Amino acid sequence: MAVVSSSGQRLGNRVAIAAVVVITIIFLLPIYWIGSTAFKPRNLATTAPPTIVFQPEISPFVKLFTKRVQLKPNEKIDVANAPWWEQMIFAGGERISRTGKGEIQLSGYPDRFINSLIVAITSTVLAVGMGTITAYGFSRFKVKGEADLLFFILSTRMLPPIVVAIPMFLMYRAAGLNDSHLGLIILYTAFNVSFAVWLMKGFIDEIPREYEEAALVDGYTRLEAFRKIVLPEAATGIAATAVFCFITAWNEYAFALILTNKKAQTAPPFIPSQIGSGLPDWTVIAAGTFLFLLPVAIFTFLLRNHLLRGMSFGAIRK
Amino acid sequence: MARIRLENIAKSFGNHMAVGGLDIDVADGEFFVLLGPTGAGKTTTLRMIAGLEKPTVGRVLINEVDVNAWGPAERDVALVLQQYSLYPRLSVRDNLSFPLRSRIRGLTQPEIDARIDYAAKTLRIGHLLDRKTDRLSGGEMQRVSIGRAIVREPQVFLMDEPLSALDAKLREALRSELKDLQMRLGATFIFVTHDQVEAMTMGDRIAVMNKGRIIQVGKPQEVYSHPVNTFVASFVGSPVINLIAGQVAGNAAVVSPGAFELPIAGGGREGRYTFGIRPEDVKVEQGAPVVARVHDIENHGIEKVVTLRIGETLVRANVPARVAIGLEDEVRFGWNAEKVMLFDADSGVNIRAA
Ligand SMILES: Nc1ncnc2c1ncn2[C@@H]1O[C@H](COP(=O)(O)OP(=O)(O)OP(=O)(O)O)[C@@H](O)[C@H]1O
Ligand SMILES: [Mg+2]
């Protein structure tokens, strides 16, 4: 019996592993597609069947970051003295546009990328910070109407956000927040803070209050106890919450499209706008998307230990 | 060191009264035990002394100073709990130094080291100093918790069932260690437990609590021999006291006429009573007045606790282990008439205790 059940178990394990592998491949396929397209020459990007083996090149990234103009029919170019990365552009029938002083003109992408970073990081810090403090208050003190307040906070997430897009647009225009970093930061913070409160409350509820009380008795103030005891204990929850808030803010498309157009525009609405008219250059789109994926991947990778613990011990499990 | 006084303290949570009408006076250097069943309000009382909870009414005085408005930090008390006493992710040494690094103490590093050394030696935890607390056994953890209290050199040690989570052997060992420590430090201890053995062996005085009130305060021997009511009588002492309903007629307790009549010293007014007699004061011997059958036998090493059946009535008696006795044997027993307690049949109040 024992033998049968243990070999049955082993078989079960193998099936589980096989399933995980298959699912992982399915999830990674689009990322592979984007990643490989980002390194393809333009003429291989849209072949059918797709080209698997090719000589990778970084011309899509060069194109992503620069402004280019079509070569005129008999324009003379100094191919031999041009830098190697510009030579790839010549091959596509274009050249990099320069100012009168000969400086390379950048495309809109780097600014949009930096906008995305500013907005996502700031709103994440604000949402997680405010969420943690609010959750601590709800968790540790008697708050009048606690259940109602918590429900109200949650209820702000019950409406699909796009429903309020037009009122938001009008309000932002009246308040002068259109196309500003501050506007997006406020929006994303407000959107994430309810989520952060609920998530963090779950984590903080699980930290025994005896630890803080011991610190209070040991001669520390409430604030010191919070900083020295609660914050380190809540690190896992904070990391998990931060990742979720960051992803939400980083990926947000609809409001960014409506509320920004240039100065504060983030990467999500910018990238598809580059499809433009005529034949789209999919390799450039793929390069922009590929770079856009990296911050979330890096952020999540750095916090992976916390996330795993958070998943198995924290509020998300419930 | 300090004297702790609670004056007419009450604490309500919502409309549930956790503690009411509490008066306690703990002398400087006393080992004072709060004993009571679960929900009695022991922890609540301790937390009010520590300043973690504000009394709804009444005053807490430390050295005759009203500290109601003081926070926990200012009261200079140390707290040891049953669990969650140590900070996880800190080493033992960091746990010990944590209270000393508080800004209100302002100690220098050599002073901190000296105190940790002293505590480590006192509690024999020197070899554990660099361990993480999650690598400690239960007994080691509680030692370190006590160490964290010692390094502070506080006015009062407050302990909330610090030994309850430990196994019996360890509890016994730490019990005597703690008592020892208290005598050496000469410190005031307020010790919460629901274990009457701990209370009896460690306490200079015991306050027996039930349902938020203090039922009796006294030396262990007083509480044991002169419980004020049936609650205290049955809560203190193991095996549990016999409480037997019956009548007083002249100088005798009559439980069932003709079959179970035994003398009581001093007699009493005629009427219905509950008689209290501890199992060690029940004597099973030949020629004793009452006939009974052996209902149950429990072996406790050098002693057996034998339950005797007289009609419907059950009486526990201590019998030396060497006495051969079997279930359903017919035996005779009597009791020590001096030790019989008389409780009012309705209120359970000991009519002889002051
Ligand atoms: N924070 C609180 N909110 C509401 N009720 C409470 C609170 N703390 C204690 N109580 C109630 O007060 C009463 C006394 O509780 P307390 O913890 O003081 O008992 P205890 O004697 O320490 O019991 P135990 O031996 O189980 O620890 C209980 O009925 C308890 O439910
Ligand atoms: Mg308690």
Side-chain angles (χ1 to χ4, degrees), chain A residues 212-255:
Chain A
E212 289 150 77
E213 292 180 344
L216 291 182
V217 171
D218 277 346
Y220 290 90
T221 63
R222 173 67 73 172
L223 209 63
E224 285 171 326
F226 177 74
R227 202 160 44 82
K228 287 180 190 267
I229 307 298
V230 179
L231 280 189
E233 285 300 308
T236 290
I238 291 172
T241 310
V243 167
F244 283 112
C245 289
F246 184 80
I247 291 175
T248 308
W250 185 254
N251 286 349
E252 206 286 325
Y253 172 76
F255 280 93

Side-chain angles (χ1 to χ4, degrees), chain A residues 142 206 208-222 224-225 227-229 231-236 306 309, chain B residues 13 47 50 52 72-73 76-79 81 83-89 95 97-105 148 152:
Chain A
K142 283 204 190 75
E206 288 191 5
R209 54 176 68 201
E210 279 86 347
Y211 292 143
E212 289 150 77
E213 292 180 344
L216 291 182
V217 171
D218 277 346
Y220 290 90
T221 63
R222 173 67 73 172
E224 285 171 326
R227 202 160 44 82
K228 287 180 190 267
I229 307 298
L231 280 189
E233 285 300 308
T236 290
H306 282 306
R309 283 209 308 169
Chain B
F13 295 106
R47 288 170 59 84
L52 291 170
D76 195 20
V77 300
L79 191 59
L81 305 174
Q83 54 172 348
Y84 300 129
S85 254
L86 296 177
Y87 304 119
R89 72 184 78 223
N95 260 287
S97 66
F98 187 82
L100 302 178
R101 294 197 192 284
S102 149
R103 262 185 290 129
I104 59 167
R105 262 175 272 281
R148 222 188 57 196
R152 298 215 0 222

Side-chain angles (χ1 to χ4, degrees), chain A residues 25 34 41 50 94 105 108-109 133 170 183-184 189 202 206 210 214 231 249 259 280 299:
Chain A
I25 288 173
I34 291 288
E94 290 176 326
Q105 283 193 317
Y109 187 79
I133 292 167
L170 297 174
L184 280 190
T189 306
E206 288 191 5
E210 279 86 347
L231 280 189
L259 298 180
F299 192 46

Side-chain angles (χ1 to χ4, degrees), chain B residues 98-151:
Chain B
F98 187 82
L100 302 178
R101 294 197 192 284
S102 149
R103 262 185 290 129
I104 59 167
R105 262 175 272 281
L107 294 174
T108 63
Q109 190 60 41
E111 285 170 314
I112 291 175
D113 290 340
R115 288 201 192 186
I116 292 178
D117 271 358
Y118 173 76
K121 233 177 258 140
T122 311
L123 294 163
R124 289 174 282 119
I125 50 174
H127 60 293
L128 303 173
L129 282 178
D130 294 313
R131 272 219 213 144
K132 278 265 151 55
T133 51
D134 52 7
R135 301 271 160 76
L136 298 178
S137 73
E140 290 167 341
M141 267 194 202
Q142 284 316 70
R143 274 219 185 77
V144 176
S145 302
I146 294 163
R148 222 188 57 196
I150 292 179
V151 291

Side-chain angles (χ1 to χ4, degrees), chain A residues 45-105:
Chain A
T46 51
T47 55
T51 316
I52 306 292
V53 185
F54 58 92
Q55 179 77 39
E57 54 176 70
I58 63 157
S59 61
F61 291 92
V62 177
K63 292 189 215 158
L64 177 67
F65 281 100
T66 55
K67 258 202 192 116
R68 286 151 286 121
V69 287
Q70 290 282 328
L71 287 176
K72 294 184 194 98
N74 9 344
E75 190 173 345
K76 280 210 180 108
I77 44 171
D78 188 3
V79 178
N81 285 329
W84 60 272
W85 41 267
E86 191 163 9
Q87 293 180 8
M88 296 185 301
I89 306 300
F90 297 146
E94 290 176 326
R95 66 174 174 78
I96 288 168
S97 97
R98 296 176 196 260
T99 61
K101 289 184 196 144
E103 287 161 349
I104 294 170
Q105 283 193 317

Side-chain angles (χ1 to χ4, degrees), chain A residues 142 209, chain B residues 11-14 16-19 34-47 53 82 160-161 164 192-194 209-212:
Chain A
K142 283 204 190 75
R209 54 176 68 201
Chain B
K11 175 75 192 179
S12 304
F13 295 106
H16 170 75
M17 183 178 277
V19 169
L34 290 173
L35 173 67
T38 182
K42 309 176 298 285
T43 299
T44 306
T45 306
L46 207 65
R47 288 170 59 84
E53 213 85 68
Q82 179 180 337
D160 192 356
E161 314 205 20
S164 300
V192 164
T193 181
H194 61 249
M209 293 185 71
N210 191 27
K211 300 191 177 136

